[in-house]
Amino acid sequence: MFSITKLGCDAVFRKHSSRTTTMRKGKIVGDCDKLVTWYKPKRCPKGLSKDEFLALPSSITVREIYYYIVIPGFRTQRVSLITTLLDGTTYPTLKIVQLYYQRWQVELDLRHLKTTLGMDVLRCKTPSMVRKEIHVYLLAYNLLRSLMW
C-alpha cells in the first residue's frame, strides 16, 4: 500500500482474510465505512528486502469499507475493501464498491478469455515472444468474433 501511495496512485483491494479488524476499532466515517491505522510488522515479510522494509513508515492510514452480498438461496457474504481513497465526500462508499465490482467483472472476463483460448499456460520463454503470443491469441479471438457477427 505504501509503495502505491508513494508513486502517487490510489488503490482499492479486497482485505486479506488474515487481517482481522472490527468496526469498534478505527474512526467511523460512515455506515460500514471507517478509517483504520495499519502498523508496520515487527519482522520483515518474505516479499521485501531489508532496505525496503526499513524504508516503510511505522504506520499507514487506510479506509475500510464493509458491504454485504445478498443472493436469495445463498449464504450472505460480507466483503471488506481497503482503499487509499480516504475522503468520504469526494469518494462515496457506493462509488468505491461499484469500482471494485467493475474491476472484478474485468478479471472474470479476462479469465474467461484465457481459458476459452487456451491461454492459461503461455509457451514462449522471452518477454517479447510472450507479447507476440498474446497478440496472436487476441487476433484469433477477434477474427472468430467477427465471423460470429
Side-chain angles (χ1 to χ4, degrees):
M1 282 284 215
F2 177 70
S3 299
I4 291 171
T5 55
K6 192 173 156 185
L7 292 172
C9 299
D10 290 301
V12 177
F13 296 105
R14 192 167 179 167
K15 184 175 79 170
H16 194 275
S17 60
S18 66
R19 281 199 179 264
T20 55
T21 54
T22 63
M23 282 306 284
R24 288 177 274 154
K25 292 184 179 179
K27 179 185 174 196
I28 296 175
V29 292
D31 190 32
C32 298
D33 192 355
K34 65 180 178 174
L35 297 177
V36 180
T37 302
W38 282 0
Y39 296 97
K40 181 177 174 178
K42 292 180 178 22
R43 294 181 306 176
C44 180
K46 291 180 183 177
L48 294 177
S49 68
K50 289 288 185 189
D51 293 334
E52 291 171 330
F53 180 70
L54 293 173
L56 292 176
S58 60
S59 65
I60 185 171
T61 301
V62 295
R63 185 172 167 195
E64 188 169 356
I65 297 170
Y66 294 102
Y67 69 96
Y68 296 90
I69 299 174
V70 180
I71 300 172
F74 291 89
R75 184 173 46 121
T76 300
Q77 281 190 320
R78 186 175 97 173
V79 177
S80 300
L81 299 179
I82 301 297
T83 183
T84 56
L85 301 168
L86 303 179
D87 187 12
T89 55
T90 307
Y91 308 104
T93 304
L94 187 58
K95 292 287 186 186
I96 291 176
V97 170
Q98 288 173 341
L99 174 70
Y100 184 76
Y101 174 77
Q102 289 172 345
R103 180 185 147 218
W104 186 255
Q105 291 302 312
V106 168
E107 287 184 25
L108 289 177
D109 290 342
L110 288 174
R111 185 175 75 183
H112 173 72
L113 270 175
K114 285 169 52 177
T115 54
T116 302
L117 296 175
M119 291 175 56
D120 45 345
V121 177
L122 297 175
R123 288 153 185 81
C124 293
K125 304 289 184 206
T126 63
S128 64
M129 288 303 291
V130 167
R131 274 192 286 282
K132 288 178 184 177
E133 186 177 0
I134 291 171
H135 285 120
V136 168
Y137 276 120
L138 292 175
L139 178 64
Y141 175 76
N142 286 325
L143 285 171
L144 288 172
R145 293 297 292 178
S146 67
L147 290 175
M148 293 172 70
W149 295 105

